[in-house]
Amino acid sequence: MNDDKLMKILLEPRVTEKSSMTADKYRQFVFKVMRDATKPEIRKAVEKMFEVEVESIQVLNVRGKSKMFRRARGKRPDWKKAYVRLKPGFDIDFMGA
């Protein structure tokens, strides 16, 4: 797999209160990934971008919410979330401190 595709697989880290607690307790980090990304592709992308070793990955598809704007019905887009567990001794620091 070429490096260009690997760099496009991870769209953004999901830094929320829940994901921060999960990172502290289980060494799991949450990423928003491309809809067609597979577990092996996500593993390679995380290992290449952050120079860490991945222990396991859990992936889930998040359905977009239905919304109303005045009288028009709308829907937010669906997206894919990946929970990445790192091997002991590795860590990702998003804050850069």
Side-chain angles (χ1 to χ4, degrees):
M1 179 180 311
N2 59 3
D3 290 340
D4 293 336
K5 181 163 168 98
L6 282 179
M7 293 301 184
K8 293 178 183 177
I9 288 177
L10 299 178
L11 300 177
E12 65 186 48
R14 302 294 291 185
V15 181
T16 61
E17 188 175 352
K18 181 181 176 182
S19 67
S20 297
M21 289 188 308
T22 305
D24 292 339
K25 192 170 183 179
Y26 301 110
R27 297 183 324 274
Q28 277 187 331
F29 296 90
V30 183
F31 294 96
K32 182 177 180 180
V33 297
M34 288 177 42
R35 296 270 323 266
D36 60 346
T38 62
K39 286 184 180 182
E41 291 173 341
I42 296 168
R43 176 185 298 270
K44 288 179 187 176
V46 170
E47 288 178 348
K48 182 171 182 65
M49 289 181 73
F50 298 105
E51 298 175 356
V52 295
E53 290 184 21
V54 175
E55 184 176 313
S56 65
I57 297 176
Q58 294 175 318
V59 179
L60 60 108
N61 292 308
V62 180
R63 300 178 84 188
K65 292 182 179 180
S66 296
K67 292 289 184 177
M68 292 287 291
F69 180 72
R70 297 191 185 184
R71 294 186 190 144
R73 295 185 64 97
K75 183 179 176 295
R76 292 186 180 166
D78 300 336
W79 55 285
K80 193 177 225 182
K81 184 192 303 191
Y83 286 90
V84 178
R85 175 175 279 167
L86 301 180
K87 290 186 178 177
F90 291 96
D91 192 28
I92 298 175
D93 184 20
F94 294 121
M95 300 304 165

